[in-house]
Amino acid sequence: MLEPALQGTLNVLRSCKKNPELRRVVLTSSSSTLRVRDDLDPKVPLDESSWSSLELCKKLQAWYVMSKTMAERAAWDYCRENGIDLVTILPSFVIGPSLPPDLCSTASDVLGLLKGETERFQWHGRMGYVHIDDVALCHILVYENEDSHGRYLCSSVVMDNDDLVALLATRYPTLPIPKWFQKLDRPHYDLNTSRLRSLGFKFKSIEEMFDDCIASFVQQGHLTLQPAAPI
């Protein structure tokens, strides 16, 4: 996982360097590149100045996080050395309609949760969430805004698993959504998205994310919604 992420990113940037008309490169990174640390202060929201610890990633065998962190750091090094105007977007857990019929791992985890499974989703613990439309619009915004620079956290809200399922169970009472999750030893954190909001960006709500996601599952035949019993 590490080498493909690193070399894949650098290969794209090498191709970008060949284009003399290049204005700016917007790279999709991940919020995981800043929140895997052993010195988190629960009272101080994480912002773009934070980076995940490669040593801790290795210790936890968090290879996805490590690959994303290494790839983004390599991108910044390459672009500084080659005069490329780079901006990076750090989305949290992306929720919304699924375009391809074959679900990605994120969508599969959400579908499992809606069907009453807890094993895969429990691993996420406390997590930031963002609508897929917002992720796309964020890329366009920072590409077109000449004053954009550096890293931008792209996340609407951070929630614990138990709070999330309580909201979803109320909104979708006919789905077998789990009532609670086993507590894991995970640090509490929040995300400071003021850099992106300062550009005038407004995020969709957690309700909109899951409404669109569930509607997509139903349309594609992955999920069946029963009418709620009359009160």
Side-chain angles (χ1 to χ4, degrees), residues 31-48:
S31 65
S32 66
T33 62
L34 54 77
R35 57 182 170 78
V36 179
R37 309 166 55 106
D38 52 13
D39 60 350
L40 293 181
D41 184 344
K43 298 179 181 179
V44 180
L46 292 166
D47 62 20
E48 292 85 353

Side-chain angles (χ1 to χ4, degrees), residues 28-73:
T28 310
S29 185
S30 167
S31 65
S32 66
T33 62
L34 54 77
R35 57 182 170 78
V36 179
R37 309 166 55 106
D38 52 13
D39 60 350
L40 293 181
D41 184 344
K43 298 179 181 179
V44 180
L46 292 166
D47 62 20
E48 292 85 353
S49 65
S50 174
W51 283 92
S52 289
S53 163
L54 295 180
E55 292 77 13
L56 183 59
C57 288
K58 188 174 183 179
K59 177 181 177 181
L60 299 175
Q61 298 187 358
W63 307 124
Y64 172 81
V65 179
M66 191 170 184
S67 70
K68 284 292 189 180
T69 305
M70 290 174 61
E72 190 188 344
R73 281 195 175 279

Side-chain angles (χ1 to χ4, degrees), residues 14-26:
R14 292 182 187 114
S15 295
C16 290
K17 183 186 176 184
K18 298 175 183 177
N19 184 354
E21 303 299 323
L22 181 75
R23 282 182 52 198
R24 169 175 288 167
V25 174
V26 180

Side-chain angles (χ1 to χ4, degrees), residues 104-160:
C104 66
S105 60
T106 299
S108 296
D109 288 357
V110 174
L111 181 61
L113 176 72
L114 299 172
K115 290 184 174 182
E117 300 171 9
T118 60
E119 183 176 353
R120 285 186 297 178
F121 212 86
Q122 178 169 285
W123 174 253
H124 299 305
R126 185 170 176 81
M127 182 67 70
Y129 295 91
V130 65
H131 197 293
I132 192 170
D133 291 355
D134 287 344
V135 177
L137 290 171
C138 176
H139 281 70
I140 297 170
L141 175 63
V142 301
Y143 176 76
E144 295 182 341
N145 188 312
E146 293 184 359
D147 295 328
S148 299
H149 64 280
R151 310 170 84 201
Y152 287 88
L153 257 173
C154 184
S155 183
S156 173
V157 63
V158 181
M159 297 183 73
D160 289 315

Side-chain angles (χ1 to χ4, degrees), residues 112-123 125 160-170 175-184:
L113 176 72
L114 299 172
K115 290 184 174 182
E117 300 171 9
T118 60
E119 183 176 353
R120 285 186 297 178
F121 212 86
Q122 178 169 285
W123 174 253
D160 289 315
N161 277 350
D162 286 354
D163 294 331
L164 176 66
V165 294
L167 181 150
L168 293 176
T170 301
L175 292 177
I177 297 169
K179 298 294 188 293
W180 57 276
F181 287 84
Q182 178 183 347
K183 295 296 182 184
L184 301 177

